[in-house]
Amino acid sequence: RAKSRQRAGHLYFSRSMDVDIRERVNMMHALRRTFEENRLFVVYQPQIDMVTREPVGAEALLRWRGDDGAMISPERFIPIAEYSGLIVELGEWVLRQACLQTVRLREHGFADFMIAVNVSQVQLRHPQFLAMLKRTLAESQAVAHCIELEITESMAMDDPEALTHLLDQITATGVSIAIDDFGTGFSSLSHLQKLNVDRLKIDRAFVAEITESARGSSIAEAIIQLGRNLDLDVIAEGVENERQAMVLSELGCSCAQGYLFAQPLTSEKLEEWLRLNSRKEGGRPLS
Ligand code: C2E
Ligand code: MG
Ligand code: MG
Ligand code: MG
């Protein structure tokens, strides 16, 4: 069979690919089951204002603990959720958790705290995406300006007109837009200029480079400069040490996120962490 496919000009379908596909199908079923059993959870990684060193927001990140107790990386299961279409339901659920979290934080005095939610290309292309966003905001009673959607650069490329229109409609709801992993997707800068985007998120690969060589900060610097020229905020992800934070600060990067400040935290831990690390709560400022 494989041979005839090959002859017909198809890719050779090897036995190891077969195993690979079976593994992915199994994973997809396990993911769906875990989701239906309500055993997935969301963690929140704080984002820090580089000038005041105050926490100003957090990124919501989906977590799956496998049946054996070990964590399964979203880098592995998100592509499977996208491929199977489950990401549409999963993404809606993550957004709702994030919305409810902003409402809880507002009740605890953090009214302006913003939570960023990763949105997959598959979700964004879904015809009901905007309706789902509005409904989720309304049902959770979240304030729209407390929610940010992170999209990736590659999405910005594939149907420029449709995306421009959608981002305008999202922006009209009050929700902000960030471009995640910025610098890795080769997006067209002239197109970027037309998109209703609020901030650029420097990919952690470029943050890591800062400490690696003399010219290591040049891409981060270029992105920060681009943000300044286009009047967009810039946030750095994956900040792991003081040296990186210092360079980013000096370059004028307004926000940062990374293990230096905090790991992704469960909902309960986030509230505890905020009480300890927010000055207005009487906590100590982050050094
Ligand atoms: P991302 O959106 O770029 O998220 C940042 C990733 O960097 C997270 O990995 C985070 O835990 C990790 N990280 C944070 N600080 C540091 C640091 O200082 N150093 C290093 N080395 N890493 C750091 P995570 O949670 O494993 O997520 C991986 C990717 O999976 C995310 O990348 C995002 O693309 C995707 N993802 C996670 N949750 C969701 C979700 O709810 N929906 C969608 N569509 N994608 C998600
Ligand atoms: Mg992200
Ligand atoms: Mg990112
Ligand atoms: Mg990244």
Short mmCIF file of all heavy atoms in Angstrom, two decimals, residues 209-255:
data_model
loop_
_atom_site.label_atom_id
_atom_site.label_comp_id
_atom_site.label_asym_id
_atom_site.label_seq_id
_atom_site.Cartn_x
_atom_site.Cartn_y
_atom_site.Cartn_z
N GLU A 209 19.24 35.65 24.14
CA GLU A 209 20.42 36.10 23.41
C GLU A 209 21.12 37.29 24.05
O GLU A 209 22.31 37.51 23.83
CB GLU A 209 20.04 36.49 21.97
CG GLU A 209 20.06 35.32 21.01
CD GLU A 209 19.54 35.71 19.64
OE1 GLU A 209 19.62 36.90 19.28
OE2 GLU A 209 19.02 34.82 18.94
N ILE A 210 20.36 38.05 24.84
CA ILE A 210 20.92 39.26 25.45
C ILE A 210 22.19 38.97 26.22
O ILE A 210 23.17 39.71 26.15
CB ILE A 210 19.86 39.93 26.38
CG1 ILE A 210 18.77 40.57 25.52
CG2 ILE A 210 20.51 40.96 27.31
CD1 ILE A 210 17.61 41.14 26.32
N THR A 211 22.19 37.85 26.95
CA THR A 211 23.35 37.52 27.78
C THR A 211 24.35 36.62 27.06
O THR A 211 25.34 36.20 27.64
CB THR A 211 22.88 36.84 29.08
OG1 THR A 211 21.81 35.94 28.76
CG2 THR A 211 22.38 37.86 30.09
N GLU A 212 24.09 36.32 25.79
CA GLU A 212 24.94 35.37 25.10
C GLU A 212 26.10 35.96 24.30
O GLU A 212 27.10 35.30 24.08
CB GLU A 212 24.10 34.46 24.18
CG GLU A 212 23.59 33.23 24.94
CD GLU A 212 22.44 32.54 24.25
OE1 GLU A 212 22.32 32.68 23.02
OE2 GLU A 212 21.67 31.86 24.95
N SER A 213 25.94 37.19 23.84
CA SER A 213 27.03 37.79 23.08
C SER A 213 26.97 39.31 23.18
O SER A 213 26.01 39.87 23.69
CB SER A 213 26.93 37.37 21.61
OG SER A 213 25.80 38.00 21.03
N ALA A 214 28.00 39.93 22.64
CA ALA A 214 28.09 41.38 22.74
C ALA A 214 26.94 42.07 22.01
O ALA A 214 26.41 43.06 22.47
CB ALA A 214 29.44 41.85 22.17
N ARG A 215 26.57 41.50 20.85
CA ARG A 215 25.50 42.12 20.08
C ARG A 215 24.17 41.40 20.30
O ARG A 215 23.22 41.57 19.54
CB ARG A 215 25.86 42.16 18.59
CG ARG A 215 27.13 42.98 18.32
CD ARG A 215 27.25 43.38 16.86
NE ARG A 215 26.12 44.16 16.41
CZ ARG A 215 25.36 43.83 15.35
NH1 ARG A 215 25.60 42.75 14.67
NH2 ARG A 215 24.36 44.61 15.00
N GLY A 216 24.12 40.59 21.34
CA GLY A 216 22.96 39.75 21.61
C GLY A 216 21.66 40.49 21.82
O GLY A 216 20.58 39.94 21.63
N SER A 217 21.75 41.76 22.22
CA SER A 217 20.52 42.49 22.50
C SER A 217 19.98 43.21 21.27
O SER A 217 18.97 43.92 21.34
CB SER A 217 20.76 43.50 23.62
OG SER A 217 21.71 44.45 23.21
N SER A 218 20.64 43.02 20.12
CA SER A 218 20.27 43.85 18.97
C SER A 218 18.85 43.59 18.45
O SER A 218 18.18 44.52 18.03
CB SER A 218 21.30 43.71 17.85
OG SER A 218 21.51 42.36 17.56
N ILE A 219 18.37 42.34 18.50
CA ILE A 219 17.01 42.10 18.01
C ILE A 219 15.97 42.65 18.99
O ILE A 219 15.01 43.31 18.59
CB ILE A 219 16.78 40.60 17.69
CG1 ILE A 219 17.67 40.23 16.50
CG2 ILE A 219 15.31 40.34 17.35
CD1 ILE A 219 17.57 38.82 16.03
N ALA A 220 16.22 42.40 20.28
CA ALA A 220 15.31 42.97 21.29
C ALA A 220 15.25 44.49 21.11
O ALA A 220 14.17 45.09 21.14
CB ALA A 220 15.80 42.62 22.70
N GLU A 221 16.42 45.08 20.91
CA GLU A 221 16.50 46.52 20.73
C GLU A 221 15.69 46.98 19.52
O GLU A 221 14.94 47.97 19.57
CB GLU A 221 17.96 46.94 20.57
CG GLU A 221 18.16 48.44 20.56
CD GLU A 221 19.64 48.82 20.55
OE1 GLU A 221 20.51 47.91 20.60
OE2 GLU A 221 19.92 50.03 20.51
N ALA A 222 15.83 46.24 18.42
CA ALA A 222 15.10 46.59 17.19
C ALA A 222 13.59 46.49 17.40
O ALA A 222 12.83 47.33 16.92
CB ALA A 222 15.54 45.68 16.04
N ILE A 223 13.14 45.47 18.13
CA ILE A 223 11.70 45.31 18.37
C ILE A 223 11.18 46.44 19.26
O ILE A 223 10.10 46.99 19.01
CB ILE A 223 11.40 43.92 18.99
CG1 ILE A 223 11.74 42.79 17.99
CG2 ILE A 223 9.93 43.82 19.41
CD1 ILE A 223 11.65 41.39 18.54
N ILE A 224 11.96 46.80 20.27
CA ILE A 224 11.55 47.89 21.16
C ILE A 224 11.45 49.21 20.38
O ILE A 224 10.51 49.98 20.53
CB ILE A 224 12.52 48.01 22.37
CG1 ILE A 224 12.38 46.75 23.24
CG2 ILE A 224 12.25 49.28 23.17
CD1 ILE A 224 13.53 46.52 24.20
N GLN A 225 12.42 49.41 19.50
CA GLN A 225 12.41 50.61 18.66
C GLN A 225 11.20 50.61 17.71
O GLN A 225 10.53 51.63 17.54
CB GLN A 225 13.72 50.68 17.85
CG GLN A 225 13.93 52.00 17.14
CD GLN A 225 13.91 53.20 18.10
OE1 GLN A 225 14.57 53.19 19.13
NE2 GLN A 225 13.11 54.22 17.77
N LEU A 226 10.92 49.44 17.15
CA LEU A 226 9.75 49.31 16.26
C LEU A 226 8.48 49.64 17.03
O LEU A 226 7.61 50.37 16.53
CB LEU A 226 9.69 47.89 15.70
CG LEU A 226 8.51 47.56 14.79
CD1 LEU A 226 8.61 48.32 13.48
CD2 LEU A 226 8.43 46.05 14.53
N GLY A 227 8.38 49.12 18.24
CA GLY A 227 7.22 49.41 19.10
C GLY A 227 7.08 50.90 19.32
O GLY A 227 5.98 51.46 19.22
N ARG A 228 8.20 51.54 19.58
CA ARG A 228 8.18 52.98 19.82
C ARG A 228 7.69 53.72 18.57
O ARG A 228 6.83 54.59 18.64
CB ARG A 228 9.60 53.44 20.18
CG ARG A 228 9.66 54.78 20.88
CD ARG A 228 11.06 55.05 21.42
NE ARG A 228 11.39 54.23 22.57
CZ ARG A 228 12.57 53.64 22.79
NH1 ARG A 228 13.55 53.78 21.91
NH2 ARG A 228 12.77 52.93 23.87
N ASN A 229 8.21 53.32 17.41
CA ASN A 229 7.82 53.99 16.15
C ASN A 229 6.36 53.76 15.80
O ASN A 229 5.72 54.64 15.23
CB ASN A 229 8.70 53.49 15.00
CG ASN A 229 10.15 53.91 15.17
OD1 ASN A 229 10.45 54.79 15.99
ND2 ASN A 229 11.04 53.27 14.44
N LEU A 230 5.85 52.58 16.12
CA LEU A 230 4.45 52.29 15.77
C LEU A 230 3.50 52.59 16.93
O LEU A 230 2.31 52.30 16.86
CB LEU A 230 4.31 50.81 15.35
CG LEU A 230 5.03 50.36 14.08
CD1 LEU A 230 4.81 48.88 13.84
CD2 LEU A 230 4.55 51.17 12.87
N ASP A 231 4.07 53.13 18.01
CA ASP A 231 3.28 53.45 19.19
C ASP A 231 2.63 52.20 19.81
O ASP A 231 1.43 52.20 20.14
CB ASP A 231 2.22 54.52 18.83
CG ASP A 231 1.72 55.23 20.08
OD1 ASP A 231 2.46 55.23 21.09
OD2 ASP A 231 0.59 55.76 20.05
N LEU A 232 3.41 51.15 19.93
CA LEU A 232 2.93 49.91 20.55
C LEU A 232 3.74 49.64 21.81
O LEU A 232 4.94 49.92 21.85
CB LEU A 232 3.14 48.73 19.59
CG LEU A 232 2.49 48.81 18.21
CD1 LEU A 232 2.94 47.64 17.35
CD2 LEU A 232 0.98 48.83 18.35
N ASP A 233 3.09 49.10 22.84
CA ASP A 233 3.82 48.68 24.03
C ASP A 233 4.63 47.44 23.69
O ASP A 233 4.29 46.71 22.77
CB ASP A 233 2.85 48.33 25.16
CG ASP A 233 2.30 49.58 25.84
OD1 ASP A 233 2.98 50.62 25.79
OD2 ASP A 233 1.21 49.49 26.41
N VAL A 234 5.68 47.22 24.47
CA VAL A 234 6.49 46.02 24.25
C VAL A 234 6.65 45.29 25.58
O VAL A 234 6.92 45.90 26.62
CB VAL A 234 7.86 46.38 23.65
CG1 VAL A 234 8.74 45.14 23.54
CG2 VAL A 234 7.70 47.03 22.27
N ILE A 235 6.45 43.98 25.54
CA ILE A 235 6.68 43.14 26.72
C ILE A 235 7.68 42.05 26.33
O ILE A 235 7.63 41.54 25.21
CB ILE A 235 5.36 42.55 27.27
CG1 ILE A 235 5.63 41.60 28.46
CG2 ILE A 235 4.51 41.86 26.20
CD1 ILE A 235 4.40 41.22 29.26
N ALA A 236 8.59 41.74 27.25
CA ALA A 236 9.56 40.68 26.99
C ALA A 236 9.14 39.42 27.73
O ALA A 236 8.73 39.50 28.89
CB ALA A 236 10.94 41.12 27.47
N GLU A 237 9.21 38.27 27.06
CA GLU A 237 8.88 37.02 27.76
C GLU A 237 10.16 36.24 28.03
O GLU A 237 11.19 36.48 27.42
CB GLU A 237 7.90 36.17 26.93
CG GLU A 237 8.48 35.59 25.65
CD GLU A 237 7.52 34.64 24.91
OE1 GLU A 237 6.32 34.56 25.24
OE2 GLU A 237 8.00 33.98 23.99
N GLY A 238 10.09 35.35 29.02
CA GLY A 238 11.24 34.49 29.33
C GLY A 238 12.41 35.21 29.97
O GLY A 238 13.57 34.82 29.77
N VAL A 239 12.13 36.26 30.75
CA VAL A 239 13.22 36.96 31.45
C VAL A 239 13.63 36.12 32.66
O VAL A 239 12.83 35.86 33.55
CB VAL A 239 12.77 38.38 31.89
CG1 VAL A 239 13.89 39.08 32.64
CG2 VAL A 239 12.34 39.19 30.67
N GLU A 240 14.87 35.67 32.64
CA GLU A 240 15.32 34.73 33.67
C GLU A 240 16.34 35.31 34.63
O GLU A 240 16.57 34.75 35.70
CB GLU A 240 15.91 33.48 33.00
CG GLU A 240 14.86 32.66 32.25
CD GLU A 240 15.41 31.40 31.61
OE1 GLU A 240 16.65 31.23 31.58
OE2 GLU A 240 14.59 30.60 31.12
N ASN A 241 17.02 36.38 34.24
CA ASN A 241 18.01 36.94 35.17
C ASN A 241 18.03 38.47 35.15
O ASN A 241 17.49 39.10 34.25
CB ASN A 241 19.40 36.35 34.88
CG ASN A 241 19.86 36.63 33.45
OD1 ASN A 241 19.94 37.79 33.04
ND2 ASN A 241 20.12 35.57 32.69
N GLU A 242 18.69 39.01 36.18
CA GLU A 242 18.74 40.47 36.38
C GLU A 242 19.40 41.19 35.21
O GLU A 242 19.00 42.28 34.85
CB GLU A 242 19.50 40.80 37.67
CG GLU A 242 18.65 40.83 38.90
CD GLU A 242 17.48 41.84 38.83
OE1 GLU A 242 17.50 42.76 37.98
OE2 GLU A 242 16.55 41.68 39.62
N ARG A 243 20.41 40.57 34.66
CA ARG A 243 21.14 41.18 33.56
C ARG A 243 20.20 41.43 32.37
O ARG A 243 20.19 42.52 31.81
CB ARG A 243 22.28 40.22 33.22
CG ARG A 243 23.12 40.50 32.06
CD ARG A 243 24.35 41.32 32.29
NE ARG A 243 24.77 41.76 30.97
CZ ARG A 243 25.35 40.95 30.08
NH1 ARG A 243 25.64 39.71 30.40
NH2 ARG A 243 25.66 41.41 28.89
N GLN A 244 19.39 40.42 32.04
CA GLN A 244 18.42 40.58 30.95
C GLN A 244 17.42 41.68 31.30
O GLN A 244 17.12 42.54 30.46
CB GLN A 244 17.67 39.26 30.71
CG GLN A 244 18.54 38.17 30.13
CD GLN A 244 17.93 36.77 30.28
OE1 GLN A 244 16.95 36.58 30.98
NE2 GLN A 244 18.53 35.80 29.61
N ALA A 245 16.94 41.67 32.53
CA ALA A 245 15.95 42.67 32.95
C ALA A 245 16.56 44.07 32.86
O ALA A 245 15.90 45.01 32.41
CB ALA A 245 15.48 42.40 34.37
N MET A 246 17.82 44.18 33.25
CA MET A 246 18.48 45.49 33.24
C MET A 246 18.63 46.02 31.82
O MET A 246 18.31 47.17 31.54
CB MET A 246 19.85 45.36 33.90
CG MET A 246 20.35 46.62 34.53
SD MET A 246 22.01 46.34 35.17
CE MET A 246 22.94 46.15 33.64
N VAL A 247 19.12 45.15 30.93
CA VAL A 247 19.29 45.57 29.53
C VAL A 247 17.94 45.97 28.93
O VAL A 247 17.81 47.02 28.30
CB VAL A 247 19.97 44.46 28.69
CG1 VAL A 247 19.98 44.82 27.21
CG2 VAL A 247 21.38 44.19 29.20
N LEU A 248 16.92 45.15 29.14
CA LEU A 248 15.59 45.44 28.59
C LEU A 248 15.06 46.77 29.12
O LEU A 248 14.50 47.57 28.39
CB LEU A 248 14.61 44.30 28.93
CG LEU A 248 14.85 43.00 28.17
CD1 LEU A 248 14.15 41.83 28.86
CD2 LEU A 248 14.37 43.13 26.71
N SER A 249 15.28 46.99 30.41
CA SER A 249 14.88 48.24 31.04
C SER A 249 15.56 49.43 30.39
O SER A 249 14.92 50.42 30.04
CB SER A 249 15.29 48.20 32.51
OG SER A 249 14.17 48.27 33.31
N GLU A 250 16.88 49.31 30.23
CA GLU A 250 17.66 50.39 29.61
C GLU A 250 17.22 50.66 28.18
O GLU A 250 17.25 51.80 27.72
CB GLU A 250 19.15 50.04 29.63
CG GLU A 250 19.79 50.26 30.99
CD GLU A 250 21.17 49.64 31.08
OE1 GLU A 250 21.61 48.99 30.11
OE2 GLU A 250 21.80 49.81 32.14
N LEU A 251 16.79 49.59 27.49
CA LEU A 251 16.35 49.76 26.09
C LEU A 251 14.94 50.35 26.02
O LEU A 251 14.47 50.69 24.94
CB LEU A 251 16.39 48.42 25.36
CG LEU A 251 17.79 47.81 25.13
CD1 LEU A 251 17.66 46.41 24.56
CD2 LEU A 251 18.62 48.69 24.19
N GLY A 252 14.28 50.43 27.16
CA GLY A 252 12.96 51.05 27.19
C GLY A 252 11.80 50.07 27.03
O GLY A 252 10.70 50.45 26.66
N CYS A 253 12.05 48.80 27.34
CA CYS A 253 10.99 47.79 27.29
C CYS A 253 10.09 48.01 28.51
O CYS A 253 10.56 48.04 29.64
CB CYS A 253 11.62 46.41 27.34
SG CYS A 253 10.44 45.07 27.28
N SER A 254 8.78 48.18 28.27
CA SER A 254 7.94 48.62 29.38
C SER A 254 7.50 47.51 30.33
O SER A 254 7.18 47.77 31.48
CB SER A 254 6.72 49.38 28.85
OG SER A 254 6.01 48.57 27.95
N CYS A 255 7.49 46.28 29.87
CA CYS A 255 6.95 45.19 30.69
C CYS A 255 7.78 43.93 30.53
O CYS A 255 8.42 43.73 29.50
CB CYS A 255 5.54 44.87 30.22
SG CYS A 255 4.27 45.34 31.35
#
